[in-house]
């Protein structure tokens, strides 16, 4: 089992609908390939954590790379992982743009700022820490 994390810049402004569309379009494909994880979005960037077998993860990532919906794609991490972090999430989406101001302010303080929004990390530990911070917040995931 492997874990891959990447960060990218969206080609257009990101809304809840953008994230919802991506989750819906990937759900079936991810289930078929045994891939799961989480997708975080600010108004300008994506951060995605994908878990699955080596071949499935490569195939999925190279498909995602070709998507014109984003660019400046940077691999943050790709390595074997001992166990799944996302046991029961096929793929969950979290918008970091419409959290309440207090929460967003705290994330900015902890992770920094980029393009007026929360900055997505470029280190594995920090990216995973953010996924857990965001998933613990009361705001419901986007489905
Ligand atoms: C930020 C982002 C994340 C995506 N995540 C996934 C994903 O986890 N799984 C997936 O199959 N497709 C994902 N996609 C969509 C793929 O890029 C691609 O459009 C979709 O799988 C259909 O591929 P196809 O047109 O080659 O069949 C994502 C796209 C974007 C922009």
């Amino acid at each position: 089992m492997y874990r891959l994390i990447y960060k990218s810049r969206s080609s257009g402004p990101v809304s809840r609908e953008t994230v919802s569309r991506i989750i819906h379009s990937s759900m079936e494909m991810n289930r078929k390939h045994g891939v799961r994880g989480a997708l975080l979005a600010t108004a300008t960037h994506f951060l995605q954590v994908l878990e699955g077998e080596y071949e499935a993860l490569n195939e999925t990532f190279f498909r995602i790379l070709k998507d014109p919906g984003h660019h400046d794609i940077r691999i943050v991490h790709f390595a074997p992982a001992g166990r799944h972090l996302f046991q029961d999430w096929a793929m969950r989406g979290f918008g970091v743009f419409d959290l309440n101001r207090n929460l967003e302010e705290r994330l900015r303080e902890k992770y920094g700022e980029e393009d007026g929004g929360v900055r997505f990390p470029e280190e594995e530990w920090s990216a995973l820490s953010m996924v857990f911070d965001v998933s613990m917040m009361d705001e419901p995931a986007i489905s």
Side-chain angles (χ1 to χ4, degrees):
M1 211 275 291
Y2 277 69
R3 182 174 305 121
L4 187 151
I5 306 174
Y6 74 87
K7 171 182 174 172
S8 66
R9 180 183 287 273
S10 175
S11 301
V14 184
S15 62
R16 286 185 77 83
E17 287 67 40
T18 319
V19 179
S20 183
R21 225 179 302 123
I22 295 171
I23 299 294
H24 280 272
S25 73
S26 9
M27 209 59 114
E28 200 179 321
M29 202 73 94
N30 288 354
R31 215 165 265 143
K32 196 171 117 196
H33 291 97
V35 169
R36 43 191 150 175
L39 176 67
L40 269 55
T42 61
T44 56
H45 285 78
F46 298 108
L47 179 78
Q48 192 170 27
V49 181
L50 295 162
E51 292 180 350
E53 294 307 325
Y54 184 79
E55 291 299 337
L57 219 45
N58 267 282
E59 196 269 336
T60 302
F61 182 61
F62 281 98
R63 193 151 26 77
I64 293 172
L65 267 184
K66 289 191 218 132
D67 195 313
H70 60 170
H71 55 278
D72 283 353
I73 301 168
R74 308 278 168 90
I75 294 175
V76 171
H77 173 82
F78 183 41
R83 63 184 177 93
H84 282 285
L85 290 176
F86 308 113
Q87 268 328 331
D88 40 84
W89 300 358
M91 182 57 61
R92 290 187 77 185
F94 298 94
V96 184
F97 41 77
D98 58 0
L99 298 169
N100 76 51
R101 289 180 60 105
N102 185 25
L103 288 176
E104 188 170 337
E105 199 48 48
R106 278 159 54 196
L107 288 173
R108 276 172 204 254
E109 276 170 24
K110 185 166 175 187
Y111 299 99
E113 266 188 67
E114 183 169 47
D115 292 331
V118 176
R119 177 183 165 274
F120 282 150
E122 278 146 21
E123 312 83 30
E124 182 210 14
W125 67 270
S126 189
L128 292 178
S129 158
M130 181 183 270
V131 170
F132 287 111
D133 283 351
V134 171
S135 66
M136 296 289 274
M137 291 172 176
D138 285 340
E139 309 286 328
I142 301 172
S143 57

